[in-house]
Amino acid sequence: METKSLIIKNYPKIVQEFARENFDLKVLSAALLAILFVMSGLIVYFVKRGPEVIALDATGAIAKLELKITDAQIASAIEEYLSYRYKWTPDTVAFQMKKAEVFIDPSLIPSFQKAMVDVQKFVKEKKVNQRVYPSDVKVDLKLMKVTVLADRITEFDSLSAATKLKVVFDFSSGERTSLNPWGIYIRKETEGEIR
């Protein structure tokens, strides 16, 4: 028995048009997917890059960027740190300590976290509230130290106690970030009360 194969050289015109349209749709879909990946990559890049801030002076000209850190900037950074490290309630103490970490020298953050575990435990167990109001901030750029005198108000068991607080900070300057725009990092903190 002899077998014969049928060879059809031309598909019907309607099938050829359908195949062509199908191919065009595949190419268009692939092109749109490629554009989608490129655009997603650009979005991620621009989000991580952050906004570019251009400072203007009073006349509208571009202000000159001053990289030197002043006493006022250091005092402002330390006061911001105090507002996180020493002002808390039992509900906010963990969150406040996490925000205070931004001002700690990056190499010392594990030590800071370890030291704050006992503080957080005590505050939550005894339901302690604390507020601190700095009254005097002295910056010594030669020794890279800041001395802060403050009024500390501590409340627990319906009792309030007001004490004078003295804190001496050894600091260094480093990278300015969006969370720490001053670039001031605390290397050592020595706390004591004034009697």
Side-chain angles (χ1 to χ4, degrees):
M1 185 169 224
E2 215 178 295
T3 54
K4 292 186 178 181
S5 60
L6 287 172
I7 298 173
I8 301 175
K9 292 184 178 180
N10 292 329
Y11 291 106
K13 188 175 183 182
I14 206 162
V15 173
Q16 287 178 352
E17 288 176 4
F18 179 71
R20 181 68 187 163
E21 288 173 359
N22 192 15
F23 177 75
D24 291 344
L25 284 174
K26 288 179 183 176
V27 169
L28 180 63
S29 296
L32 290 174
L33 274 174
I35 291 171
L36 176 72
F37 284 123
V38 169
M39 294 302 290
S40 297
L42 284 172
I43 288 171
V44 168
Y45 169 75
F46 284 121
V47 165
K48 285 188 174 183
R49 185 173 159 216
E52 185 174 333
V53 178
I54 300 172
L56 301 176
D57 61 13
T59 63
I62 295 176
K64 291 185 174 112
L65 185 61
E66 183 63 47
L67 296 177
K68 183 181 176 188
I69 297 174
T70 64
D71 291 0
Q73 291 172 344
I74 295 167
S76 177
I78 294 297
E79 287 178 12
E80 188 75 14
Y81 171 75
L82 288 172
S83 73
Y84 300 138
R85 166 70 175 84
Y86 290 96
K87 291 183 183 181
W88 32 254
T89 66
D91 298 329
T92 64
V93 66
F95 182 66
Q96 291 292 89
M97 294 303 170
K98 193 72 178 161
K99 290 193 320 189
E101 286 178 16
V102 172
F103 294 92
I104 302 298
D105 188 288
S107 64
L108 300 173
I109 288 178
S111 300
F112 177 79
Q113 291 171 338
K114 191 175 180 181
M116 292 301 111
V117 168
D118 291 336
V119 172
Q120 291 180 36
K121 184 178 176 185
F122 176 78
V123 168
K124 288 179 180 179
E125 285 177 0
K126 302 292 183 183
K127 299 193 184 317
V128 180
N129 294 325
Q130 180 174 274
R131 296 182 309 276
V132 171
Y133 301 100
S135 57
D136 187 27
V137 180
K138 292 182 182 172
V139 178
D140 186 347
L141 282 172
K142 288 182 181 177
L143 297 175
M144 299 294 277
K145 289 185 183 268
V146 177
T147 304
V148 177
L149 300 177
D151 296 320
R152 175 174 22 196
I153 300 172
T154 309
E155 299 171 347
F156 59 95
D157 293 335
S158 301
L159 299 172
S160 293
T163 57
K164 288 283 189 184
L165 172 70
K166 179 182 179 182
V167 187
V168 179
F169 298 100
D170 289 2
F171 70 92
S172 64
S173 60
E175 180 185 359
R176 295 176 188 238
T177 65
S178 60
L179 298 174
N180 184 350
W182 303 275
I184 300 299
Y185 294 93
I186 296 167
R187 299 186 52 77
K188 183 179 177 187
E189 178 177 344
T190 308
E191 180 182 333
E193 291 185 3
I194 302 171
R195 300 188 193 278

